[in-house]
Amino acid sequence: MLTRWLLALAARVGLIVVGLCCCLSLFYLLACKPASRNSQQSLVWSGGATSKEGYLALLQEREDSHRHYINSLTKQIAQLKEALQERTKQLRESLDKAKTKGILPQGLESLHKTPTQSDMKEFFRSQLHQAEVNSGVKLSSEYAVIPYDTLTLQRVYQLETGLTRHPEERPVRRDRRDELIGTVETALHVLNGPQQHADNSRRKRTYSPSDFIEGLTRTERDRGTVYELMFKGDSPQEFTRLVLFRPLGPVMKVKSESVDTRSTLINIIVPLSKRPDTFRQFISNFREVCIQQDGRVHLTVVYFGRDQIDQVKATLDQTTRQTRFRSFTLIQLNEEFSRGRGLEVGARAWRRSQNVLLFFCDVDIHFTADFLTSCRLNAEPGKKVYYPVLFSQYNPSIIYSNQTLLPSVQQQLVIRKETGFWRDFGFGMTCQYRSDFINIGGFDRNTKGWGLEDVHLYRKYLHSKLMVIRSPSRGLFHLWHEKSCADELPPDKYKMCMQTKAMSEASHSQLGELFFRREIEAHLNSRRQENRGAR
């Protein structure tokens, strides 16, 4: 009997224990349930507590959980810092030992100390100091020159054309486009900033993208990228130059200055021998650009020989009568033609006290008023000389062979890969101040005839401390003309002349079409016969 009563009691106690366990499990699940849209109902189910008390309880529990998590992360971070400090200590000890023994690898000196913000600034300053921004760097040869790209808001003119082979194009790559747009925006931010207007002597104005005229940019791979941007000033002859530098990091402002070109006279020196028809074409361009638009030029013509000089004089006299322009000099030399000799004589013939800006030009060159502006902005006495890369025109009779009449000269001046190429191997067209030309020693007087005299002068400037601005010019064109290479030229010059002649005829693909014309015509004829047979 007692046994049955004990069994019944044990069963009841077991049921009570099971019931209590189930209740505790239910309460635990409800307490650990995440907050949701039905959190209020869960609180009521958990024991009928009010929603406010339930929320407070949940918030307290969440806060405790987050505090515990934060404490855990803080402890882990402290452990990582301790491990990093230990590794840094070991590295410093190794570097100290290596430095003591004199076996520290080159380039690891900077690891010997902990970098700071001042160290970064000093590094950027050193990059700026090493780059060719404020002063020139002596270069070994013309092959060491890093040319600039010329840019506007719409176009980029570059010598290294890549796969597109377009001498000018809109930036296709998004990173390149964003880089240039971002640079112009940074420049506008600098020009319109409060520090720019701190000088009360300057009239305050707000610059906009429409004020941007032209820019030059190039990248030195181990230093950074320089941007020289030109903006409109308060008058048509005044400009604002802003130089920015990106030293493989944030953009740095180098300088901002006003450039007044109102009193900058350009002496255009043209060596000439015969070719009166080409000279008349040159004077036509000169009258339109220099006399009618610019008005701040002097023309010096150095004529070799006596044949046809009367036609040259007549062209100059006619220009004077029709335009009242008298700022020109005609020098006659009764000797064999030498381009370097003619430019040398023309430069030294200047008798005014003003340090004039020289533009060495050929008679078959066409230039615009924008180029004259670039000539004034990119040359600075004692600091910079400008060597623009001109766009050389292909033979119009080949380019426009499918047209009945050739377009006018103005219509032919289009920068496209089908119409011409950047004449990056030529250094004859240049803007430099007379004082720099005299100080550098001028041309090599032993050079006769055609070629090499411009390369020798170019190398002199590369070996000096003057900056050489080498960039494609969108306003300087070499007009095509029949080129003849004289038999009396030395072999090296004759070879250069023939190479130039071949490059000036047409593009690679156009010359290929001419060379393989028979194969192309035979293929077209066979296809026509096949089409007729199919009908």
Side-chain angles (χ1 to χ4, degrees):
M1 189 71 179
L2 179 62
T3 303
R4 291 182 179 179
W5 181 82
L6 289 175
L7 291 174
L9 179 62
R12 291 178 182 179
V13 172
L15 290 174
I16 293 173
V17 172
V18 172
L20 289 174
C21 290
C22 292
C23 291
L24 291 174
S25 300
L26 179 62
F27 285 140
Y28 178 78
L29 291 175
L30 291 175
C32 295
K33 180 178 177 63
S36 62
R37 297 178 182 177
N38 300 324
S39 60
Q40 186 173 359
Q41 297 178 5
S42 299
L43 291 172
V44 175
W45 295 341
S46 62
T50 61
S51 62
K52 182 177 181 181
E53 295 174 350
Y55 275 123
L56 291 176
L58 276 179
L59 288 175
Q60 183 65 36
E61 183 180 353
R62 296 288 181 181
E63 185 177 354
D64 294 340
S65 176
H66 289 162
R67 187 180 295 109
H68 177 72
Y69 182 65
I70 291 173
N71 292 335
S72 176
L73 290 178
T74 304
K75 184 178 180 180
Q76 294 180 33
I77 292 173
Q79 293 174 351
L80 290 174
K81 284 184 176 179
E82 185 178 354
L84 180 60
Q85 291 174 357
E86 182 65 23
R87 291 297 181 92
T88 303
K89 182 180 178 180
Q90 295 175 2
L91 178 60
R92 287 180 179 176
E93 292 176 354
S94 300
L95 290 175
D96 288 336
K97 293 179 180 179
K99 188 175 183 180
T100 303
K101 296 179 180 179
I103 58 174
L104 183 65
Q106 185 177 4
L108 294 181
E109 295 84 353
S110 60
L111 296 178
H112 189 64
K113 61 178 182 178
T114 303
T116 62
Q117 186 175 4
S118 60
D119 293 332
M120 295 298 294
K121 291 182 179 179
E122 183 62 29
F123 169 73
F124 290 151
R125 292 193 195 98
S126 66
Q127 295 295 92
L128 174 61
H129 180 71
Q130 296 175 20
E132 192 177 11
V133 179
N134 288 319
S135 60
V137 177
K138 292 183 179 181
L139 300 175
S140 57
S141 70
E142 61 270 24
Y143 301 103
V145 175
I146 302 176
Y148 288 84
D149 289 346
T150 303
L151 62 102
T152 64
L153 287 178
Q154 293 81 23
R155 291 285 191 274
V156 175
Y157 303 84
Q158 52 193 2
L159 298 183
E160 299 179 2
T161 55
L163 292 176
T164 62
R165 299 192 181 277
H166 289 290
E168 63 87 20
E169 62 177 79
R170 295 179 182 270
V172 177
R173 287 173 38 185
R174 184 174 180 179
D175 57 342
R176 176 66 164 164
R177 182 172 64 252
D178 293 344
E179 173 202 354
L180 299 178
I181 294 176
T183 302
V184 175
E185 290 178 350
T186 301
L188 293 174
H189 178 73
V190 172
L191 293 176
N192 294 324
Q195 296 181 355
Q196 190 69 15
H197 301 315
D199 186 2
N200 295 327
S201 63
R202 294 182 57 188
R203 184 174 68 86
K204 295 182 179 180
R205 59 167 297 179
T206 300
Y207 291 86
S208 65
S210 60
D211 294 320
F212 177 62
I213 300 175
E214 184 177 84
L216 300 177
T217 178
R218 71 175 180 181
T219 299
E220 299 181 41
R221 295 177 181 175
D222 56 342
R223 295 182 178 90
T225 304
V226 62
Y227 305 91
E228 186 168 323
L229 309 177
M230 289 293 177
F231 292 84
K232 296 178 182 177
D234 296 330
S235 70
Q237 288 79 37
E238 289 183 300
F239 305 89
T240 297
R241 177 192 285 116
L242 182 65
V243 180
L244 301 176
F245 182 65
R246 189 192 300 274
L248 304 179
V251 175
M252 300 171 59
K253 173 187 173 183
V254 179
K255 62 181 177 180
S256 176
E257 59 184 359
S258 296
V259 182
D260 190 350
T261 63
R262 284 176 291 187
S263 59
T264 305
L265 183 71
I266 299 179
N267 183 13
I268 303 177
I269 304 178
V270 180
L272 183 64
S273 178
K274 301 178 181 179
R275 304 181 67 181
D277 295 336
T278 307
F279 182 71
R280 279 191 290 269
Q281 186 180 36
F282 174 83
I283 287 296
S284 176
N285 175 228
F286 181 87
R287 290 174 60 170
E288 178 183 356
V289 174
C290 299
I291 300 178
Q292 299 176 10
Q293 300 181 35
D294 191 89
R296 293 165 291 154
V297 296
H298 182 91
L299 177 62
T300 300
V301 179
V302 182
Y303 195 87
F304 288 83
R306 297 180 179 179
D307 295 341
Q308 301 179 347
I309 190 174
D310 294 337
Q311 300 183 39
V312 173
K313 290 181 178 179
T315 301
L316 293 175
D317 292 340
Q318 182 182 12
T319 302
T320 300
R321 291 194 305 269
Q322 295 178 353
T323 64
R324 298 182 181 180
F325 178 81
R326 301 181 182 276
S327 184
F328 65 83
T329 302
L330 177 60
I331 302 174
Q332 182 182 2
L333 299 178
N334 293 322
E335 53 189 77
E336 182 185 356
F337 176 81
S338 170
R339 184 178 185 274
R341 165 72 172 158
L343 295 174
E344 182 90 19
V345 170
R348 296 184 181 274
W350 185 258
R351 293 291 178 260
R352 304 183 194 178
S353 59
Q354 181 183 6
N355 184 19
V356 69
L357 175 59
L358 306 176
F359 170 37
F360 295 151
C361 185
D362 289 341
V363 71
D364 51 12
I365 297 299
H366 186 283
F367 53 87
T368 65
D370 290 337
F371 168 75
L372 296 180
T373 299
S374 299
C375 183
R376 293 185 175 97
L377 294 176
N378 293 316
E380 189 172 353
K383 292 185 178 181
K384 295 191 296 186
V385 294
Y386 182 40
Y387 271 85
V389 181
L390 54 83
F391 192 75
S392 188
Q393 186 186 46
Y394 287 140
N395 188 345
S397 61
I398 297 178
I399 301 172
Y400 306 102
S401 59
N402 58 344
Q403 300 184 20
T404 305
L405 297 176
L406 291 179
S408 64
V409 174
Q410 290 292 340
Q411 292 175 333
Q412 294 179 23
L413 301 179
V414 181
I415 301 178
R416 291 202 306 263
K417 65 178 182 179
E418 297 85 5
T419 60
F421 64 100
W422 292 119
R423 204 181 186 91
D424 56 350
F425 55 84
F427 308 96
M429 301 329 115
T430 172
C431 296
Q432 53 195 265
Y433 276 86
R434 184 176 182 271
S435 59
D436 295 328
F437 177 77
I438 299 298
N439 293 334
I440 206 72
F443 286 102
D444 184 357
R445 300 183 182 182
N446 296 324
T447 303
K448 302 294 183 181
W450 178 91
L452 292 183
E453 80 287 337
D454 51 356
V455 179
H456 292 162
L457 179 64
Y458 183 63
R459 289 172 179 169
K460 286 183 180 181
Y461 282 116
L462 295 180
H463 298 161
S464 72
K465 291 186 178 181
L466 274 71
M467 290 183 63
V468 177
I469 306 298
R470 180 73 166 162
S471 67
S473 174
R474 56 194 174 97
L476 192 62
F477 297 86
H478 178 269
L479 301 179
W480 185 89
H481 59 86
E482 185 70 33
K483 192 173 188 62
S484 58
C485 300
D487 292 335
E488 57 269 17
L489 286 174
D492 56 342
K493 291 186 178 181
Y494 187 83
K495 183 178 180 180
M496 289 176 58
C497 183
M498 293 301 293
Q499 290 174 347
T500 304
K501 181 177 181 179
M503 292 182 62
S504 302
E505 285 297 314
S507 67
H508 194 122
S509 59
Q510 290 167 332
L511 290 176
E513 291 181 5
L514 293 176
F515 186 80
F516 297 107
R517 177 180 295 177
R518 293 183 179 179
E519 288 86 341
I520 295 174
E521 291 179 352
H523 175 75
L524 292 176
N525 291 332
S526 63
R527 294 305 300 270
R528 292 193 191 100
Q529 294 177 0
E530 290 178 1
N531 293 334
R532 292 174 183 174
R535 294 177 183 177

